[in-house]
């Protein structure tokens, strides 16, 4: 594969040359490089564990690189912490949202740099400044709103506004659309376009290849901590990009289905409604044995609330749930797991992983009763075997099973959580954005695991904001709109336009 670089005669806003970073047992970055021009969007792509986020953390002062040079605006820099980076005009919208949940939107935006009136925080100025930024970015959120009450996508927009508030010349977007719907993605792209027109250099990290070719001017590919390729996006195709990322040709993006769902209904849900708003208002559907039921919808459609109510982590107000013709309650997560349900949540950091504990613990915790004998003694051998299965079956990139899960890339964390629920051998898998932040090669592996689960006679409810993957692996697609089921369609005979029309039905 011919390698090329961005034209060196063009003035670079940012240059990272020969960057190396080593962690115990892992060479995370190996002599990698990146050049960013002003007035440009530069996509940084690669598989999970390729080193993209590590490279950006070295730029942002979260990590200190071992070797190499960084030039910003033509001057050598080595930020010791994120505050230094922000003060110099480098900002980052992180994939994982680290916000103070019980404080307001505007307090989260100006945290650590509150406008002051003497020794008192100038709340009026903070409100007006936040409102001005929101108006410029067409963000419709009240600055006084407690941030913990917002949806994931709204909180993502707040983080983008925070980055803009720093008057940054370089803004890093790490998987910014992972929790956004199609409409929200278009809004984000308009914001990025404004920033590019104003002279910003945008570093855009994403696993969504269609987005990359749509939004990026330049593309850099990393693999195993090394630089592989830099070139213009107009010179790339999806297939060429996939080959660069995975180092091999990937002929099909979705695995083939060998079997079809039976006509036997395994799960019947009737008039499901939650107790506290915002929640599911009225959902009725059947799930057949061996079926993958995709779930589509816009922001506020209550897709997540539907599966969380079904799983018992949101209180149910009304509705009937029947599993194999037997009525069940699923009032708690423990009860749901005992009934054969599993739930992979949308936000892994907040409700998925135990960050300070190792891969072994995170793999087996949902299945812990199976490893305990009647004397309460754990079967360490079986735990080790199952942890190894998770690492091997899902191709988790890790030095070992005792590595803390917080030290893995976001996509590898997601694989571990997926493996955790597969170990419970669920009858009904509830998956909320299971491929969020996962690279194209790993996505294929996860699709295969989902299909394998269905082909064993189990059933899957699969929420995704990516319509191509819903259409690619689902048998049917249920479209939610404002807490209600707007329609259920056959995935093979519908289109993205049909799904969007249904998604707007009850708005």
């Amino acid at each position: 594969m011919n390698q090329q670089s961005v034209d060196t005669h063009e003035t670079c806003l940012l240059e990272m040359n020969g960057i190396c970073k080593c962690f115990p047992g892992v060479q995370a970055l190996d002599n990698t490089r990146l050049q960013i021009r002003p007035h440009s969007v530069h996509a940084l792509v690669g598989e999970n564990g390729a080193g993209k986020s590590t490279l950006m953390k070295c730029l942002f002062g979260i990590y200190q690189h071992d070797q190499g040079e960084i030039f910003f605006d033509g001057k050598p820099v080595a930020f010791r912490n994120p505050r230094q980076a922000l003060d110099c005009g480098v900002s980052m919208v992180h994939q994982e949202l680290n916000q103070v949940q019980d404080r307001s939107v505007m307090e989260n935006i100006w945290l650590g740099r509150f406008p002051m009136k003497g020794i008192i925080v100038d709340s009026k100025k903070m409100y007006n400044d936040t409102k001005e930024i929101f108006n410029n970015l067409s963000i419709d959120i009240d600055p006084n709103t407690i941030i913990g009450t917002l949806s994931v996508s709204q909180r993502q927009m707040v983080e983008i506004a925070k980055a803009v508030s720093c008057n940054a010349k370089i803004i890093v977007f790490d998987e910014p659309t992972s929790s956004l719907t199609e409409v929200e993605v278009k809004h984000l792209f308009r914001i990025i376009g404004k920033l590019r027109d104003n002279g910003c250099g945008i570093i855009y990290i994403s696993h969504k290849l269609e987005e990359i070719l749509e939004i990026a001017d330049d593309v850099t590919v990393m693999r195993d901590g090394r630089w592989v390729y830099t070139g213009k996006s107009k010179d790339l195709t999806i297939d060429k990009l996939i080959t660069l990322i995975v180092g091999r040709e990937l002929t099909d993006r979705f695995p083939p289905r060998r079997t079809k769902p039976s006509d036997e209904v395994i799960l019947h849900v009737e008039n499901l409604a939650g107790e506290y708003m915002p929640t599911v208002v009225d959902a009725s559907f059947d799930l057949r044995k061996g079926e993958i039921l995709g779930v589509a919808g816009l922001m506020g459609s209550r897709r997540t609330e539907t599966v969380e109510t079904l799983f018992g982590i949101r209180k149910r107000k009304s509705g009937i749930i029947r599993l194999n013709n037997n009525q069940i309650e699923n009032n708690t997560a423990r009860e749901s797991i005992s009934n054969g349900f599993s739930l992979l949540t949308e936000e892994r950091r907040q409700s998925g992983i135990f960050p300070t504990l190792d891969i072994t613990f995170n793999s087996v915790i949902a299945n812990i009763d199976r490893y305990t004998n009647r004397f309460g003694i754990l079967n360490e051998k079986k735990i080790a075997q199952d942890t190894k299965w998770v690492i091997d079956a899902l191709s988790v990139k890790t030095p070992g099973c005792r590595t803390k899960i917080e030290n893995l890339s976001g996509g590898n964390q997601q694989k571990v959580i997926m493996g955790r629920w597969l170990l419970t051998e669920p009858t009904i898998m509830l998956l909320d954005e299971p491929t969020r932040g996962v690279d194209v090669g790993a996505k294929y592996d996860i699709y295969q695991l989902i299909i394998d689960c269905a082909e064993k006679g189990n059933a899957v409810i699969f929420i995704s904001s990516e319509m191509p993957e819903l259409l690619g692996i689902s048998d049917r697609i249920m479209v939610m709109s404002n807490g209600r089921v707007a329609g259920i369609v056959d995935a093979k005979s519908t289109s993205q336009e049909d799904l969007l029309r249904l998604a707007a039905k009850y708005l």
Side-chain angles (χ1 to χ4, degrees), residues 196-233:
R196 173 173 52 190
D197 293 343
N198 290 336
C200 284
I202 307 295
I203 302 175
Y204 190 89
I205 301 175
S206 179
H207 293 301
K208 299 181 180 181
L209 305 186
E210 292 89 350
E211 285 183 4
I212 288 166
L213 296 186
E214 178 181 351
I215 191 68
D217 302 296
D218 307 311
V219 179
T220 288
V221 180
M222 293 180 64
R223 192 188 313 138
D224 298 326
R226 299 181 180 90
W227 174 88
V228 172
Y229 170 95
T230 299
K232 303 291 187 182
S233 63

Side-chain angles (χ1 to χ4, degrees), residues 207-208 435 438-447 466 469:
H207 293 301
K208 299 181 180 181
T435 64
V438 175
D439 65 73
V440 63
K443 278 185 179 182
Y444 189 93
D445 295 336
I446 289 177
Y447 297 149
E466 295 188 48
E469 72 176 9

Side-chain angles (χ1 to χ4, degrees), residues 192-416:
I192 290 176
K194 286 182 182 179
L195 296 172
R196 173 173 52 190
D197 293 343
N198 290 336
C200 284
I202 307 295
I203 302 175
Y204 190 89
I205 301 175
S206 179
H207 293 301
K208 299 181 180 181
L209 305 186
E210 292 89 350
E211 285 183 4
I212 288 166
L213 296 186
E214 178 181 351
I215 191 68
D217 302 296
D218 307 311
V219 179
T220 288
V221 180
M222 293 180 64
R223 192 188 313 138
D224 298 326
R226 299 181 180 90
W227 174 88
V228 172
Y229 170 95
T230 299
K232 303 291 187 182
S233 63
K234 65 183 181 181
D235 298 329
L236 293 169
T237 64
I238 293 288
D239 289 342
K240 183 177 180 181
L241 196 50
I242 289 173
T243 300
L244 286 166
I245 290 169
V246 301
R248 65 186 189 280
E249 290 192 16
L250 197 62
T251 54
D252 295 307
R253 294 182 65 187
F254 304 104
R257 289 289 296 272
R258 295 179 295 272
T259 62
K260 293 182 178 180
S262 74
D263 294 328
E264 179 184 348
V265 173
I266 192 171
L267 178 69
H268 172 78
V269 178
E270 186 177 331
N271 302 125
L272 183 71
E275 182 72 37
Y276 305 112
M277 293 299 289
T279 189
V280 56
V281 176
D282 183 12
S284 298
F285 60 92
D286 288 332
L287 186 62
R288 296 174 294 181
K289 191 172 183 179
E291 181 178 30
I292 300 172
L293 178 67
V295 184
L298 304 174
M299 185 185 76
S301 63
R302 312 289 186 257
R303 298 172 303 172
T304 293
E305 290 81 356
T306 299
V307 295
E308 289 182 349
T309 304
L310 187 58
F311 192 67
I313 58 176
R314 286 180 180 265
K315 188 173 181 181
R316 190 169 83 250
K317 179 180 180 180
S318 59
I320 296 171
I321 305 172
R322 289 196 181 96
L323 180 67
N324 291 321
N325 292 321
N326 297 314
Q327 187 164 332
I328 59 174
E329 296 302 324
N330 280 11
N331 287 322
T332 65
R334 179 179 289 274
E335 183 182 348
S336 299
I337 292 171
S338 67
N339 285 330
F341 285 71
S342 67
L343 172 62
L344 188 148
T345 57
E346 178 183 14
E347 249 192 300
R348 58 176 166 261
R349 179 174 290 274
Q350 183 175 335
S351 56
I353 65 170
F354 297 85
T356 60
L357 299 176
D358 62 22
I359 292 174
T360 295
F361 181 91
N362 277 275
S363 296
V364 303
I365 184 59
N367 215 22
I368 199 68
D369 290 343
R370 298 192 187 184
Y371 305 110
T372 309
N373 65 20
R374 60 194 180 94
F375 301 109
I377 299 173
L378 290 173
N379 186 336
E380 297 285 353
K381 183 178 179 181
K382 178 62 174 169
I383 288 175
Q385 288 174 344
D386 283 357
T387 303
K388 185 177 185 301
W389 178 87
V390 170
I391 292 171
D392 292 345
L394 283 84
S395 302
V396 178
K397 291 184 179 179
T398 174
C401 63
R402 294 300 177 184
T403 301
K404 289 182 181 179
I405 196 170
E406 67 181 356
N407 292 333
L408 301 184
S409 67
N412 281 298
Q413 292 175 8
Q414 189 80 324
K415 292 180 189 179
V416 172

